[in-house]
Amino acid sequence: MKKDIMSYCGDEILDAADKNWNSAVNKPKSGRVAFIAAAALIGAALIAVFAVAMSMRNSVTPPPETTHVTDSGTEDDNSVRYNESGFGLIFTKSKGTDSIYVVSGTAGGSGAETAPPAIEFRVGGIIVKVRQKSVHSDTFTGLNGGTKYRLMSFDVLDVVRGENVPDTILYLVPEYYSVDMSRYDFLYMSLMQRGFEGFLMKDVTTNELCEFQSPVFVTSWENPSLGDVIAFNDGVFDESLWQNDKWLFGYQFARMMLEHSSDELVVKRGCTEQYMLDRIEEKIGELQISEKDAPTVFYAATAPDELKTALEYAKNGTFRCEMYGKNVSFQRYINGCPTNESFYIWLGDNTVNYGNVSYSGTDMNGLYDLGTEVERISAQFKENIPKPPHFDPGKKELLSLKVEGYYNKTDDGVLQFITTTWTYIARDDHALYYDQMFTVYENGKTRQISRQELSDLLGYEAGILGESYTYGEGVVMPMY
């Protein structure tokens, strides 16, 4: 019987890790960190499964919603109440997708040398005091698929750090970590801006593109279980949020730290809001973070003149926007599939760097609808899984089968192709085996070409071709 990720972490792991901590409680800070790592070895199976699952989060099936009593004696109910109002989204019907996993799985394996995560409230971000307002019932992804998110909105009660913070926070949380936060009087969140007005995502529930009309935010590493969300009830830190089933991976480490009042946290059991605020100020001082470096929320509507031309150009078609700190990247999509047109904005000095490729209206005339073709082929493959073209997998287990569409403009026109990638695993020798098929669409026909032929057509060794591995030759996974 297949078990979900969180079933690998229970009280046995938490208690065993706690015993390891006890032997180090009087050691210096570095010693305590070492013992957290030692405790992580006890949960090696969990960490390994989690690490692989995080790389394929769109294929993770969350555990069922449950209700149980936490260590603090409060009831834990993961159910979420949905409300579509107040998100300010504009929806347009879309078709096709850039890629589909026909089959997806995880490799498993040992994670004995996987370091435990850093459990901390990151004081370098935008810090706000908020109250949950509503949760959208639909599921969203970026234009390139991948992680599935839920969209939550929070009323901002106070801003501890940050400039131009809106009155309502739109927060993207990976679907797996989505839990009800409305039961708390208020929460403190450390956030990073993920997008601004015009930011596009795909509503996979309705197969529509949605455009945000205000900034959108995430927590660090897009994982709220690692300490960037702190709940309060009746003026006191409420640990029950961290104890919910979906956040248990982070809590197995946070629990030890709380039980020993670790100074690496900004809270302790029974602490007040003021205690936490004082600790945040101390952390800012320790890291020598200057107030002049406080993050400022970026709005396209008030962008400096140097950026307006680029931002207007991004409206000329469909562009995937990725925002990481002061770096903003744009990539054009056609029929739901990526192209090789991109440009970048650096908010540090308001400069724009354009790529060497741009698509004109003429370039886009007569292109194949690869997004719809990806969906058609994927549906066909689900009915009858094809064999890889370059080797016989024998009894090896099919780990994943992915279909992806691309448009690449070259000197000879727009190259249109779909990549199919097989990944097999041999559990006995802990090795992965790969194969690929490239199908080019041109002149009303399709033809299959080799990896080298595709590289020659593109004029460079593109990252979309994957590593230069030999088809059917095992790639051994590291086992520590």
Side-chain angles (χ1 to χ4, degrees):
M1 178 178 179
K2 185 176 291 186
K3 301 175 71 176
D4 62 79
I5 290 173
M6 301 319 300
S7 68
Y8 288 93
C9 181
D11 289 336
E12 297 85 354
I13 290 177
L14 299 180
D15 293 338
D18 186 51
K19 291 177 182 178
N20 281 334
W21 179 284
N22 286 332
S23 65
V25 69
N26 294 320
K27 292 189 177 184
K29 187 174 182 178
S30 60
R32 294 200 303 274
V33 173
F35 270 84
I36 295 178
L41 304 188
I42 300 170
L46 164 70
I47 297 174
V49 173
F50 181 86
V52 176
M54 286 295 287
S55 69
M56 301 177 69
R57 280 176 291 183
N58 58 316
S59 65
V60 172
T61 300
E65 293 181 350
T66 59
T67 300
H68 72 279
V69 178
T70 66
D71 289 349
S72 60
T74 59
E75 186 181 81
D76 179 20
D77 178 6
N78 286 340
S79 60
V80 179
R81 288 171 283 279
Y82 300 110
N83 182 349
E84 277 65 58
S85 64
F87 289 95
L89 302 178
I90 295 177
F91 289 91
T92 59
K93 200 68 180 177
S94 63
K95 61 179 179 178
T97 185
D98 66 321
S99 63
I100 291 178
Y101 273 101
V102 179
V103 176
S104 64
T106 58
S110 172
E113 289 191 359
T114 304
I119 307 297
E120 61 178 321
F121 188 84
R122 291 154 183 83
V123 298
I126 297 167
I127 302 175
V128 288
K129 177 181 179 179
V130 298
R131 180 181 295 118
Q132 181 180 306
K133 185 177 181 180
S134 55
V135 182
H136 204 289
S137 63
D138 292 354
T139 302
F140 300 84
T141 68
L143 296 191
N144 59 334
T147 304
K148 293 181 179 179
Y149 297 92
R150 278 288 164 75
L151 179 61
M152 309 176 75
S153 69
F154 293 84
D155 287 324
V156 175
L157 307 179
D158 192 17
V159 178
V160 177
R161 190 167 187 271
E163 303 293 336
N164 296 332
V165 178
D167 294 334
T168 299
I169 290 292
L170 297 185
Y171 171 58
L172 285 172
V173 57
E175 184 178 37
Y176 182 89
Y177 296 108
S178 176
V179 296
D180 178 37
M181 302 185 201
S182 64
R183 73 185 73 177
Y184 302 102
D185 293 341
F186 56 85
L187 308 103
Y188 278 84
M189 304 179 77
S190 175
L191 301 170
M192 301 185 300
Q193 187 174 359
R194 183 71 171 80
F196 42 86
E197 313 100 295
F199 179 69
L200 293 174
M201 297 193 76
K202 189 161 190 175
D203 184 331
V204 296
T205 304
T206 63
N207 194 33
E208 294 175 305
L209 286 181
C210 63
E211 179 181 334
F212 286 78
Q213 296 303 293
S214 58
V216 61
F217 302 85
V218 296
T219 45
S220 297
W221 310 112
E222 299 189 357
N223 185 343
S225 77
L226 300 183
D228 279 330
V229 182
I230 298 175
F232 281 82
N233 264 327
D234 300 323
V236 176
F237 164 57
D238 193 329
E239 187 179 346
S240 65
L241 174 61
W242 292 1
Q243 293 172 332
N244 80 79
D245 285 350
K246 295 181 179 181
W247 293 17
L248 194 54
F249 175 75
Y251 181 66
Q252 66 174 318
F253 305 103
R255 192 183 89 163
M256 293 184 295
M257 300 169 77
L258 287 170
E259 291 186 350
H260 299 284
S261 299
S262 169
D263 60 4
E264 295 166 47
L265 296 178
V266 297
V267 291
K268 63 180 181 180
R269 284 178 175 158
C271 78
T272 63
E273 177 184 4
Q274 188 58 51
Y275 172 88
M276 184 205 65
L277 291 173
D278 291 342
R279 289 288 296 122
I280 289 175
E281 286 301 317
E282 290 176 15
K283 289 282 187 181
I284 291 175
E286 290 171 6
L287 296 175
Q288 298 181 338
I289 300 175
S290 172
E291 280 304 309
K292 67 181 180 62
D293 295 325
T296 299
V297 177
F298 178 79
Y299 295 84
T302 57
D305 292 340
E306 306 95 295
L307 302 182
K308 287 182 178 178
T309 299
L311 292 173
E312 283 298 319
Y313 181 73
K315 297 179 182 179
N316 176 30
T318 300
F319 280 83
R320 175 172 67 96
C321 175
E322 299 286 346
M323 186 175 185
Y324 296 99
K326 295 181 182 293
N327 184 58
V328 187
S329 65
F330 295 83
Q331 181 181 17
R332 183 185 290 276
Y333 272 60
I334 298 175
N335 295 323
C337 295
T339 74
N340 59 330
E341 178 182 359
S342 61
F343 66 93
Y344 305 86
I345 288 176
W346 174 247
L347 298 178
D349 57 7
N350 295 324
T351 56
V352 182
N353 293 311
Y354 292 97
N356 298 323
V357 174
S358 62
Y359 282 70
S360 66
T362 303
D363 293 325
M364 290 183 278
N365 286 337
L367 294 181
Y368 283 82
D369 186 349
L370 292 183
T372 299
E373 188 70 359
V374 166
E375 292 183 330
R376 184 191 68 79
I377 293 173
S378 299
Q380 181 182 352
F381 285 176
K382 286 179 181 179
E383 293 294 326
N384 185 18
I385 300 295
K387 296 293 183 182
H390 298 109
F391 79 101
D392 181 2
K395 295 183 178 180
K396 297 179 181 65
E397 175 188 342
L398 178 61
L399 189 64
S400 68
L401 174 58
K402 188 178 184 182
V403 181
E404 307 169 86
Y406 300 93
Y407 296 96
N408 272 254
K409 183 177 178 180
T410 69
D411 293 339
D412 299 321
V414 179
L415 184 64
Q416 309 164 73
F417 62 99
I418 287 178
T419 299
T420 304
T421 304
W422 290 258
T423 304
Y424 286 84
I425 184 171
R427 302 281 182 181
D428 54 350
D429 59 4
H430 310 294
L432 297 177
Y433 297 78
Y434 302 94
D435 206 346
Q436 286 179 310
M437 178 175 68
F438 302 101
T439 304
V440 174
Y441 289 71
E442 59 187 2
N443 302 322
K445 298 179 181 179
T446 63
R447 63 186 177 97
Q448 293 181 10
I449 63 174
S450 69
R451 178 166 56 186
Q452 185 58 54
E453 287 176 302
L454 180 58
S455 180
D456 292 341
L457 287 171
L458 293 172
Y460 57 90
E461 185 70 24
I464 53 177
L465 303 178
E467 301 175 8
S468 296
Y469 48 75
T470 301
Y471 294 138
E473 184 175 295
V475 179
V476 178
M477 295 184 294
M479 301 295 292
Y480 302 106

